[in-house]
Amino acid sequence: MPKLISILACLVAATLSTSTAPVADPPPNIDPELLRGTVIPAREVMVRAAEEGVLARLDVDEGQTVTAGQEVGRIDDGIARASLATAEAAARRTGSVATAESDVAAAAARVKRFESVARKGAAPRAELEDARFALDKARAILISVREEQRKLERQRDLEAVRLARHAIQAPFAGRITRVLARPGSMMTNDTDLLRLVDLSTLHAELHLPLALYSHFASGQRHRLQGEAPVNRELDATVVSVDPMQDP
């Protein structure tokens, strides 16, 4: 087994990309076996469902690429759809508001008539006060009915959000590397469904001999050789050099 790191080493973190900036000269007379490292995705996440329930549908498989926001599966949403339909029907029933508005208009017209007659001295003051009281009451009822209508509309919107949460979406563009559940599985808030990785940028960590410390600096570009399954050269930018030494 070749020696992979020296006893005294420094850590170089590199970001792999396709930039065409100048590449630094390789360190002289160094055994390539001492320059091995590991490469990890810039982003990696275990995708979970936002709502608990039975996984009704899974639209992706291992190795498949997805876009940000793409729906990759869905939790059974039969109850949520029924709740939304009920809330939508309730929100559409605006008859109470129309009736209350009509009552206000009628009461306002009655007050106007009594005020006109009162100016001529032909109507008792008490009748005008009764008409004004009735108008105030009708307006209060209208305010209450409108607020109730707004509550129904908010409930409808809430049910729509709850239904939307049954969709399982990719948080970013990447590749599915593992599928951990299948349709029919019971999903909870802490059940892992998929492993998604972003391969657009990779991070490489190299443990190098201390003697190479001076050959690396942040911002430098170096060329790394990817082994199977990559099997090609990769350009890398040094992000940081850690002077910590392994004892």
Side-chain angles (χ1 to χ4, degrees):
M1 174 72 69
K3 185 176 182 182
L4 299 183
I5 62 172
S6 63
I7 295 178
L8 298 178
C10 58
L11 178 66
V12 177
T15 300
L16 307 183
S17 68
T18 57
S19 171
T20 57
V23 178
D25 294 331
N29 303 322
I30 295 298
D31 182 356
E33 293 296 339
L34 293 180
L35 302 183
R36 287 180 174 270
T38 57
V39 176
I40 59 175
R43 289 187 294 178
E44 176 181 339
V45 69
M46 300 303 295
V47 179
R48 298 174 178 176
E51 291 289 323
E52 295 188 347
V54 176
L55 182 62
R57 196 183 77 242
L58 184 63
D59 303 330
V60 294
D61 210 339
E62 292 181 0
Q64 184 173 337
T65 57
V66 296
T67 58
Q70 177 179 332
E71 185 171 321
V72 297
R74 195 168 188 89
I75 298 297
D76 182 81
D77 58 8
I79 295 177
R81 287 185 181 277
S83 297
L84 176 58
T86 300
E88 288 177 335
R92 285 194 298 267
R93 291 195 290 267
T94 59
S96 297
V97 174
T99 299
E101 290 173 341
S102 178
D103 290 344
V104 168
R110 186 166 181 266
V111 168
K112 187 175 182 179
R113 287 196 304 272
F114 274 108
E115 288 177 339
S116 176
V117 174
R119 284 194 293 269
K120 299 175 183 179
R125 186 73 181 177
E127 291 185 359
L128 176 58
E129 292 302 322
D130 287 345
R132 287 174 173 169
F133 176 78
L135 176 58
D136 290 341
K137 182 179 179 180
R139 285 171 172 167
I141 292 174
L142 177 58
I143 290 173
S144 176
V145 170
R146 282 176 172 170
E147 178 57 31
E148 184 63 27
Q149 181 65 30
R150 284 192 288 269
K151 288 181 180 178
L152 293 174
E153 291 171 354
R154 287 195 293 269
Q155 183 64 33
R156 174 201 61 198
D157 295 341
L158 177 60
E159 295 298 340
V161 171
R162 286 174 174 166
L163 176 60
R165 283 171 56 86
H166 285 70
I168 304 171
Q169 298 177 318
F172 51 80
R175 178 174 296 174
I176 305 297
T177 60
R178 289 192 67 189
V179 174
L180 301 170
R182 293 295 178 184
S185 302
M186 182 64 190
M187 307 299 294
T188 65
N189 293 332
D190 58 357
T191 303
D192 293 333
L193 173 60
L194 304 168
R195 180 174 178 264
L196 175 65
V197 298
D198 178 4
L199 300 177
S200 61
T201 301
L202 304 176
H203 288 171
E205 292 186 353
L206 310 177
H207 293 271
L208 308 177
L210 186 61
L212 296 183
Y213 182 75
S214 61
H215 290 274
F216 293 89
S218 296
Q220 275 187 348
R221 298 199 58 78
H222 290 272
R223 185 166 291 121
L224 305 180
Q225 177 63 48
E227 296 183 346
V230 178
N231 294 322
R232 65 183 178 89
E233 288 189 340
L234 301 168
D235 288 338
T237 299
V238 177
V239 175
S240 64
V241 180
D242 188 351
M244 287 288 293
Q245 299 180 7
D246 292 337

